[in-house]
Amino acid sequence: MAIRRGGMQTPTAASSVFHANKFTSTGFTEYTGVGFAPDLAIQKAVSDGDNWDVVDKLRGPSKALETNSSDAEATGTQYFLGGFLNNGVKMGSETSGQFNGWNPNLHLYWRRARGYFDVVTYTGTGSATTVAHNLGVAPEMIWFKCRSNADIWTVYHSALGEGKRL
């Protein structure tokens, strides 16, 4: 099946594609006021050794990866997001979960936009491959993570040069 993702425009203001918020309260069921429909959220309870949880719209709000861990993809709506909204996110069902109750709690939201940011999921074959995206330009930074197995994150940046990664 192929579905065209339409409407991806080059952003003209950072606030139309990125939003950061530090929460200092608990018990709410959703967070609005982002200014756009988020496609990716990264969260961390900043006062402790909590993980940086990554949740995106393509994989769904109940699936998370942790940037500071080699763990495989985790699943559950209790601690992760309950859903993506037109102007924010619905929190997970657990009021003391990562995406809601630990304080202070930092949330970062991104929206996919041509020439700026895209989220892509694919199934690898173990061979070098080209993965399609909707940036319209060559990516300057790419984060890779195997979702099905415990494996390290790989980060590519164009300043390092072709074939080099962190």
Side-chain angles (χ1 to χ4, degrees):
M1 178 189 319
I3 300 172
R4 182 177 182 269
R5 296 187 220 168
M8 233 176 137
Q9 302 297 316
T10 302
T12 57
S15 60
S16 68
V17 293
F18 178 75
H19 178 83
N21 188 49
K22 183 177 180 182
F23 293 98
T24 56
S25 61
T26 61
F28 46 91
T29 58
E30 60 184 44
Y31 172 66
T32 58
V34 172
F36 54 84
D39 291 302
L40 182 125
I42 298 179
Q43 174 282 333
K44 181 177 185 347
V46 295
S47 63
D48 67 12
D50 187 33
N51 296 312
W52 285 94
D53 302 314
V54 179
V55 178
D56 63 82
K57 197 181 287 185
L58 285 180
R59 291 179 304 127
S62 65
K63 298 184 184 226
L65 293 165
E66 298 168 341
T67 62
N68 58 312
S69 169
S70 62
D71 291 350
E73 180 177 74
T75 302
T77 57
Q78 181 179 8
Y79 295 110
F80 305 128
L81 288 180
F84 286 90
L85 306 172
N86 287 335
N87 190 23
V89 293
K90 181 179 177 185
M91 298 304 174
S93 61
E94 175 59 51
T95 58
S96 64
Q98 285 108 315
F99 268 100
N100 194 355
W102 296 341
N103 286 305
N105 198 325
L106 178 63
H107 284 208
L108 307 171
Y109 301 104
W110 282 268
R111 180 179 70 94
R112 292 172 43 248
R114 185 170 195 77
Y116 171 69
F117 177 76
D118 199 7
V119 176
V120 178
T121 62
Y122 70 96
T123 301
T125 62
S127 300
T129 187
T130 300
V131 178
H133 57 78
N134 289 311
L135 290 178
V137 296
E140 292 181 15
M141 179 180 274
I142 304 169
W143 295 12
F144 296 95
K145 173 69 176 94
C146 177
R147 296 178 292 146
S148 58
N149 296 311
D151 202 352
I152 62 169
W153 284 80
T154 301
V155 178
Y156 159 82
H157 193 281
S158 59
L160 295 173
E162 190 171 326
K164 296 182 181 163
R165 56 185 181 227
L166 301 172

